[in-house]
Amino acid sequence: DAGVTQSPTHLIKTRGQQVTLRCSPISGHKSVSWYQQVLGQGPQFIFQYYEKEERGRGNFPDRFSARQFPNYSSELNVNALLLGDSALYLCASSLEETKDSTDTQYFGPGTRLTVL
Amino acid sequence: AQSVTQLDSHVSVSEGTPVLLRCNYSSSYSPSLFWYVQHPNKGLQLLLKYTSAATLVKGINGFEAEFKKSETSFHLTKPSAHMSDAAEYFCVVSKDSNYQLIWGAGTKLIIKP
């Protein structure tokens, strides 16, 4: 079975631009989470979506938004890019049989975003 | 609030010797705890998971961790290090109300030949 996939693998943008990152979860997984990992640090939680609804949101500005599609894939959008947005963006999927369950998260390889 | 502290930013051991990566957590309830490994230019991989069953948890690649509530610790161990174990290791606690994972800053494991 394919794992979590993310596209693109690398991206270079300039300040003020907008970016869209994409994630396909493991087949059958209903929940997708997004994390930001700045070089030398642990990942920071951005969003979690379950059944197309936002279930959790971390401490990130409104420039960050996401959505989940009927096939459970997800997009992360970042507007008005800042230099500090340069990071590895990780997507994770989990099974989540019910709305209240908390299952193991499986991570994709990430998208490396560089903002110049 | 939940938090995780990894006590060492770098750990260096010789191949064939034991590995100990230390993690302390803070949680107001009985948490789920994880160890993830990140090899250079590769995705995060789950090593093991504690969810209030047995306090000694066995994971992949010979790693194990022991949940000690009295010490609020969840240290990761391996009896004999291998060169392929060189990577960054993250201790993680789940946040109850909105299913977030709270990550430690990571410990870089260096294996000397």
Side-chain angles (χ1 to χ4, degrees), chain A residues 3-7 20-34 48-53 66-77 91-94:
Chain A
V4 177
T5 59
Q6 293 185 244
S7 62
T20 298
L21 310 181
R22 295 176 176 82
C23 172
S24 292
I26 292 171
S27 178
H29 284 195
K30 299 179 182 178
S31 182
V32 169
S33 299
W34 287 95
Q48 187 180 74
Y49 276 77
Y50 174 77
E51 289 282 10
K52 303 182 291 297
E53 290 188 3
R67 55 181 177 169
Q68 187 178 30
F69 299 99
N71 67 353
Y72 301 113
S73 67
S74 178
E75 287 182 352
L76 175 70
N77 296 284
C91 173
S93 76
S94 50

Side-chain angles (χ1 to χ4, degrees), chain A residues 45 48 55-58 102, chain B residues 95-102:
Chain A
F45 173 77
Q48 187 180 74
R55 190 162 77 162
R57 185 186 184 106
T102 307
Chain B
K95 187 173 180 179
D96 178 58
S97 61
N98 55 359
Y99 319 100
Q100 295 180 26
L101 295 182
I102 310 299

Side-chain angles (χ1 to χ4, degrees), chain A residues 35 37 40-43 45 48 55-58 88 90 99-109, chain B residues 34 36 38 41-46 49 88 90 94-106:
Chain A
Y35 294 83
Q37 186 179 19
Q41 298 180 18
F45 173 77
Q48 187 180 74
R55 190 162 77 162
R57 185 186 184 106
L88 180 67
L90 296 163
K99 185 179 179 181
D100 297 320
S101 60
T102 307
D103 293 324
T104 298
Q105 295 186 20
Y106 296 89
F107 284 80
Chain B
F34 312 79
Y36 279 84
Q38 188 173 37
N41 301 315
K42 291 189 177 180
L44 285 155
Q45 182 181 22
L46 179 68
K49 173 181 178 181
E88 186 102 26
F90 293 95
S94 65
K95 187 173 180 179
D96 178 58
S97 61
N98 55 359
Y99 319 100
Q100 295 180 26
L101 295 182
I102 310 299
W103 296 70

Side-chain angles (χ1 to χ4, degrees), chain B residues 24-67:
Chain B
N24 286 113
Y25 70 93
S26 172
S27 178
S28 56
Y29 62 97
S30 184
S32 292
L33 292 158
F34 312 79
W35 277 97
Y36 279 84
V37 60
Q38 188 173 37
H39 287 92
N41 301 315
K42 291 189 177 180
L44 285 155
Q45 182 181 22
L46 179 68
L47 276 179
L48 50 82
K49 173 181 178 181
Y50 167 78
T51 54
S52 73
T55 56
L56 184 62
V57 182
K58 293 188 183 298
I60 61 171
N61 301 334
F63 284 94
E64 62 182 36
E66 185 172 8
F67 174 72

